[in-house]
Amino acid sequence: MGSFFILRCFLLFFFFFFNGAFAASGKIWTRTEMVEMAGYGEQKLSSVIITGSLLCDDTSHPHLHSIAIPGATVAIKCHTGYKKRSKWIKAVTDDLGEFEIDLPSQLHAIPDMENKCFIKPVHVPKRYRCYHNSTNIHKRIKLVSSTNGSRVYTSGKIRLQGHSSRS
């Protein structure tokens, strides 16, 4: 009986204390308002987008006859600290050979992102006879835009050498 009484007293104290502490001008704050004041919540405070495109240059006419590579996989990796790297974050190119990667929020605060992150192709569909050695192609990113907590970087055009004819 004694522990039940203590529990009831604690709950009453908790209710009155927090009811007064979380009320402003007679208004009780909602969960959303409390979350926003604490700096947490479902809304993203920042976003970092990486864009680029993947092309196949015909070896007989480089840069004159390039085709986009849809369905290819590209990945980004960033140095997050001393001898530490993030996991590979992957994206698939669209019909125009373009990709967009939305970096997870834990990577947004990396200082000097242009020198800490790199992109590389990790898979090219077989019908595109482009040669790539994924260990040799590392493309850096460049800041394109930064407004209101949103940053956009680009890798530009990643060009692979090979035969642009499809089977």
Side-chain angles (χ1 to χ4, degrees), residues 137-158:
I137 297 177
H138 289 84
K139 186 88 180 212
R140 293 203 184 265
I141 59 174
K142 179 181 175 185
L143 182 64
V144 178
S145 167
S146 178
T147 56
N148 298 331
S150 295
R151 289 178 288 164
V152 178
Y153 292 83
T154 185
S155 67
K157 295 177 182 177
I158 301 172

Side-chain angles (χ1 to χ4, degrees), residues 106-156:
Q106 66 265 25
L107 300 178
H108 291 189
I110 295 174
D112 195 22
M113 196 171 281
E114 291 95 338
N115 294 315
K116 303 266 176 105
C117 299
F118 61 91
I119 297 209
K120 71 178 190 176
V122 292
H123 173 72
V124 175
K126 289 183 180 181
R127 67 178 180 257
Y128 298 94
R129 294 185 178 144
C130 288
Y131 303 107
H132 79 287
N133 184 344
S134 60
T135 59
N136 290 338
I137 297 177
H138 289 84
K139 186 88 180 212
R140 293 203 184 265
I141 59 174
K142 179 181 175 185
L143 182 64
V144 178
S145 167
S146 178
T147 56
N148 298 331
S150 295
R151 289 178 288 164
V152 178
Y153 292 83
T154 185
S155 67

Side-chain angles (χ1 to χ4, degrees), residues 64-130:
L64 295 177
H65 190 98
S66 297
I67 63 164
I69 307 174
T73 304
V74 295
I76 186 168
K77 193 174 231 186
C78 300
H79 292 276
T80 57
Y82 183 72
K83 293 187 178 183
K84 291 183 181 178
R85 289 189 180 182
S86 64
K87 294 180 180 177
W88 287 106
I89 299 152
K90 297 178 182 178
V92 177
T93 57
D94 64 12
D95 292 340
L96 301 174
E98 298 174 348
F99 62 89
E100 185 176 289
I101 300 172
D102 187 358
L103 282 185
S105 59
Q106 66 265 25
L107 300 178
H108 291 189
I110 295 174
D112 195 22
M113 196 171 281
E114 291 95 338
N115 294 315
K116 303 266 176 105
C117 299
F118 61 91
I119 297 209
K120 71 178 190 176
V122 292
H123 173 72
V124 175
K126 289 183 180 181
R127 67 178 180 257
Y128 298 94
R129 294 185 178 144
C130 288

